Amino acid sequence: MSTSSSAPADHRTFVRTALDLKDAVLRPWSRADAGSEALLDALVTAAADPAIALWNPMAAADRDAAGAWVEARDGGWERGTAAPFAIVDAIDGTLLGCVNLRWVDRADGLAMIGYWLLPTARGRGLATRAVAAVTGWGFATAGARRIEIAHAVGNEASCRVADRCGYLPEGVLRESFRFGDGEYHDEHLHARLAGDPEPGRP
């Protein structure tokens, strides 16, 4: 029996790790987080934020729902199909946001990345640094060939993050995703290939 088709998928497994950004740490969500009232309350706050509710809607209206959301993130790590990182303050562990890398086509090395920040964490380049760190990690350790970012055309903040992280614009996906307002929005598609130069380098 040939193993050629299964070998890439076996290699392309996300393995739990932490990424240090000095002022913040990216660490895997785990089931243990469902026992932290502070983290659950922060998720409830995030889900109620107007920007997150519109562009990154999440089912975390109360602690029970937030706990189920955390357990689902842990499941992605368990299966090796997604790498959802909690972005936490490096000093006190306060939740600042989330960045998630997931396989779209695992055997083909095609992944997609998404991210959100709580209002108190915005405006200091944290999303850019977090996405850049997870992008590099995905290419280097999981064999990603191509990573995409798709965001609503109206989500200008996400567009800036994609540009700063070297994700080249590739076009507009018409009415491609139903967002938190219940409407289908056009999306900008950006992508980086494993062989692309780092941003700022020729």
Side-chain angles (χ1 to χ4, degrees):
M1 177 178 175
S2 173
T3 59
S4 60
S5 62
S6 61
D10 293 339
H11 170 64
R12 291 175 173 137
T13 296
F14 296 124
V15 178
R16 294 179 198 258
T17 190
L19 304 173
D20 187 358
L21 301 183
K22 304 305 180 186
D23 59 333
V25 175
L26 311 182
R27 63 160 182 79
W29 286 100
S30 73
R31 292 183 187 274
D33 292 324
S36 168
E37 293 184 354
L39 278 174
L40 296 181
D41 288 343
L43 284 171
V44 172
T45 298
D49 173 71
I52 295 174
L54 176 58
W55 302 130
N56 301 91
M58 50 193 289
D62 54 36
R63 283 180 178 173
D64 287 342
W69 185 92
V70 168
E71 291 185 2
R73 306 287 83 74
D74 181 79
W77 281 108
E78 286 292 328
R79 295 185 297 275
T81 57
F85 291 88
I87 308 172
V88 300
D89 184 89
I91 296 175
D92 62 15
T94 300
L95 182 67
L96 303 174
C98 179
V99 57
N100 182 37
L101 182 65
R102 63 177 179 83
W103 290 120
V104 175
D105 187 330
R106 186 173 178 177
D108 191 46
L110 173 61
M112 181 167 281
I113 196 167
Y115 40 90
W116 54 260
L117 291 178
L118 282 156
T120 54
R122 296 169 190 163
R124 52 186 168 112
L126 182 57
T128 298
R129 291 184 288 130
V131 169
V134 175
T135 297
W137 173 82
F139 285 139
T141 69
R145 177 186 62 83
R146 171 185 166 96
I147 302 177
E148 297 178 345
I149 291 174
H151 65 82
V153 170
N155 189 352
E156 296 179 359
S158 279
C159 201
R160 289 192 295 271
V161 170
D163 289 341
R164 291 167 183 161
C165 291
Y167 283 79
L168 299 181
E170 295 190 344
V172 176
L173 307 173
R174 296 182 301 157
E175 296 187 6
S176 64
F177 190 79
R178 190 196 299 269
F179 284 86
D181 58 1
E183 300 293 329
Y184 283 96
H185 289 253
D186 293 352
E187 290 186 293
H188 285 160
L189 177 65
H190 303 250
R192 269 189 66 178
L193 303 180
D196 286 346
E198 290 294 323
R201 297 181 184 177

